Amino acid sequence: MSSIIELSTTLLAASAPIRNEPVQARSTARLAALLDSAAAVIDEIGYERLTTAMVADRAGASIGTVYRYFPDRIAVLQALAARNSERLLERLVGELASDAHATATDAVLGVLEVTVELFRMEPGYRSLRVGDVLDLLPPAADETANSVVAGAVAAALQQRFDVSADDAARRAIGSAVEVIDALVARAFARDADGDAVLLDEARRVVRATLAGVL
C-alpha cells in the first residue's frame, strides 16, 4: 500500500516548481521554514494576497533566499500545496491500513476524518488543500489532484478489502473524495473547528455515495 501512496505523492510533488532542490539538511530546513512562513501568512490573509516579500519577512530571510528556491509567488503556493498533498497522502497510509476499519466504507470515512484533522491542525491547509482551484497538475495532465488521491484510495481499498476495480467502484470512490474535499472545505470556511452540521452531512453523503457499490 505504501508504494501506491509514494507513486501518488511523486506525481503531485513533481509539479511543484522549486528552482533548487535542497540536498543538504541545512537547505532542506531553510526551504521548510519558507513554506512554514508562507502557510502562516496564508492562514492570516489568504493565499490571494501572499507575496514573496511577506514570506521572506515572516521567515526572517532575505528576498534573495526566497528567489533561490522559487521564481515567483505562484511557485511558493504550488510548493505549499504539494507539501499539503504529500502530508495528506502520508497520513492515508496508516488510515487505510488500520484494523479499526471493518469495511471499505469505514476506511473512506477515515479518509474524511484525516482530512478534517488536517484542516484543523495544518497551517495553510484550509487555503491550499488537495482539491483547490490552484491545481498542482499541469493542464495537459489527464488527472486532477483529487483524482490522484482517489486513485490511491481505490488501490488501497482493493488491497485491504478486495474492493472491485471496476468503473462503478472507482467512480463511487472518486465521487466520495470530491464530496469530502468540497463539504469539509465548506465546513471550515467560517469555522476554525469545522461546522459540525456540515461535517455530519459530509459523512452521510459519503455513506450514501458508496452504498451498494463497495
Side-chain angles (χ1 to χ4, degrees):
M1 185 182 301
S2 61
S3 62
I4 297 166
I5 303 297
E6 287 168 4
L7 286 172
S8 300
T9 300
T10 299
L11 176 59
L12 291 173
S15 59
I18 297 175
R19 274 181 163 163
N20 296 293
E21 289 285 351
V23 294
Q24 297 180 338
R26 183 176 178 183
S27 296
T28 299
R30 185 179 296 118
L31 176 59
L34 293 175
L35 293 177
D36 288 343
S37 298
V41 174
I42 287 169
D43 264 355
E44 294 173 4
I45 66 172
Y47 74 80
E48 298 89 348
R49 295 167 56 194
L50 182 76
T51 67
T52 52
M54 291 176 183
V55 175
D57 183 63
R58 181 62 64 97
S62 68
I63 192 67
T65 298
V66 177
Y67 285 126
R68 176 182 175 186
Y69 295 101
F70 305 107
D72 52 39
R73 63 181 293 277
I74 297 300
V76 176
L77 295 171
Q78 289 177 324
L80 182 57
R83 189 176 75 167
N84 286 344
S85 299
E86 181 179 357
R87 289 180 175 178
L88 171 66
L89 289 164
E90 286 174 348
R91 296 189 190 193
L92 291 185
V93 173
E95 191 65 33
L96 292 169
S98 173
D99 291 336
H101 302 309
T103 68
T105 296
D106 288 341
V108 177
L109 289 169
V111 171
L112 189 155
E113 300 308 328
V114 166
T115 304
V116 169
E117 186 66 14
L118 282 168
F119 267 82
R120 285 185 178 142
M121 304 301 297
E122 185 70 28
Y125 196 87
R126 280 180 288 172
S127 292
L128 293 173
R129 66 197 191 281
V130 171
D132 196 77
V133 292
L134 185 70
D135 207 326
L136 294 178
L137 300 179
D142 293 331
E143 296 180 288
T144 64
N146 269 346
S147 71
V148 172
V149 173
V153 172
L157 294 179
Q158 186 179 6
Q159 288 185 7
R160 174 76 171 78
F161 297 99
D162 198 26
V163 167
S164 171
D166 64 18
D167 289 343
R170 290 189 172 275
R171 187 163 49 248
I173 293 167
S175 296
V177 169
E178 294 288 353
V179 165
I180 290 169
D181 178 66
L183 288 184
V184 174
R186 182 69 178 273
F188 281 87
R190 296 184 180 179
D191 187 335
D193 290 325
D195 184 290
V197 173
L198 280 174
L199 292 178
D200 282 342
E201 178 66 6
R203 297 179 184 102
R204 185 193 68 78
V205 175
V206 167
R207 289 189 186 95
T209 301
L210 301 177
V213 181
L214 300 192

